[in-house]
């Protein structure tokens, strides 16, 4: 259960966000409802998300895997639910989305996809555990602009997932039945 009311004051900004969210996603996103209690935070978050949506140097599937690996590491069920729905809608392989939490035990990923998810998990660890060899492999494979975007994307997802988890936001039912496998402890310790 959310640790904050999901009925913020109905300011003009909130009503505009509500209209856009319903039109775009079919419902108002719980994180926006939570942030609606502070207009400056909501406005800043909306601007950040609009800017992030314009980033285009990193392949969309790699970006999705990085975001979901980070969300899975943090344990943000809202992010996993929304990420699965969002990326299924754009046509991403459902097997790759479903197996993110157990990617080390899966055979559906390429070497580059595995490196991206390893990087996302290493960045998400506290403190970060990114190694020089992994970073160099990714920099060479992606090029510097896409590598910077990957790094920034994982950082943005850390902000989202940690905020959602701390506010107690859970799956909002974007997917009727979540096919994302639960994370296994053995995979988490490798």
């Amino acid at each position: 259960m959310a640790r904050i009311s999901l009925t913020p004051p109905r300011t003009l900004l909130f009503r505009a966000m509500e209209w856009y969210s319903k039109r775009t996603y079919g419902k108002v996103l719980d994180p926006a409802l939570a942030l609606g209690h502070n207009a400056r935070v909501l406005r800043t978050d909306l601007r950040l998300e609009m800017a992030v949506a314009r980033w285009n140097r990193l392949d969309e599937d790699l970006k999705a895997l990085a975001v979901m690996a980070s969300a899975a590491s943090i344990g943000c069920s809202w992010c996993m639910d929304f990420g699965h729905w969002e990326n299924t809608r754009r046509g991403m392989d459902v097997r790759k989305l479903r197996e993110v939490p157990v990617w080390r035990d899966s055979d559906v990923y390429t070497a580059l996809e595995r490196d991206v998810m390893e990087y996302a998990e290493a960045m998400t660890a506290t403190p970060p555990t990114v190694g020089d060899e992994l970073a160099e492999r990714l920099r060479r494979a992606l090029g510097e602009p896409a590598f910077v975007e990957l790094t920034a994307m994982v950082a943005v997802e850390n902000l989202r997932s940690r905020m959602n988890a701390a506010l107690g936001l859970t799956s909002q039912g974007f997917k009727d039945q979540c096919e994302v496998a639960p994370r296994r402890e053995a995979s988490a310790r490798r």
Side-chain angles (χ1 to χ4, degrees):
M1 174 170 259
R3 295 183 179 109
I4 188 167
S5 158
L6 297 180
T7 54
R10 297 192 51 74
T11 63
L12 181 59
L13 173 64
F14 176 80
R15 290 191 315 261
M17 177 281 304
E18 181 180 50
W19 172 83
Y20 176 82
S21 187
K22 284 179 181 176
R23 191 177 124 237
T24 305
Y25 308 110
K27 59 179 102 177
V28 182
L29 305 180
D30 284 352
L33 291 172
L35 298 183
H37 289 283
N38 185 317
R40 286 184 175 166
V41 173
L42 176 60
R43 190 177 307 110
T44 300
D45 184 70
L46 293 173
R47 282 193 303 244
L48 172 65
E49 291 297 342
M50 288 188 306
V52 169
R54 290 190 301 267
W55 295 350
N56 63 4
R57 299 305 294 265
L58 182 63
D59 172 81
E60 287 297 316
D61 284 358
L62 294 176
K63 191 179 301 190
L65 292 174
V67 164
M68 290 188 68
S70 179
S73 290
I74 291 168
C76 181
S77 68
W78 193 93
C79 300
M80 294 299 290
D81 174 49
F82 185 76
H84 191 286
W85 173 81
E86 178 180 48
N87 291 296
T88 299
R89 271 183 66 196
R90 70 172 187 80
M92 190 170 171
D93 183 344
V94 175
R95 294 172 306 157
K96 289 185 177 190
L97 295 169
R98 182 179 46 238
E99 296 185 23
V100 166
V102 293
W103 65 268
R104 283 180 172 83
D105 299 324
S106 176
D107 62 357
V108 301
Y109 302 108
T110 66
L112 178 57
E113 291 168 336
R114 289 175 175 285
D115 281 349
V116 163
M117 288 185 286
E118 181 180 347
Y119 186 75
E121 286 183 356
M123 267 190 71
T124 301
T126 304
T129 59
V130 175
D132 292 341
E133 187 177 304
L134 174 61
E136 180 58 21
R137 262 195 329 267
L138 283 166
R139 189 189 64 74
R140 277 194 324 267
L142 300 172
E144 290 180 343
F147 179 64
V148 168
E149 187 170 313
L150 169 64
T151 303
M153 201 67 239
V154 173
V156 167
E157 186 55 34
N158 268 261
L159 170 69
R160 294 172 181 151
S161 290
R162 291 178 188 281
M163 194 162 26
N164 290 344
L167 291 173
L169 303 179
T170 58
S171 175
Q172 196 172 340
F174 276 94
K175 219 175 141 318
D176 293 331
Q177 179 183 2
C178 189
E179 294 178 15
V180 178
R183 186 174 181 164
R184 291 186 287 225
E185 287 303 313
S187 293
R189 283 191 224 125
R190 284 190 189 169

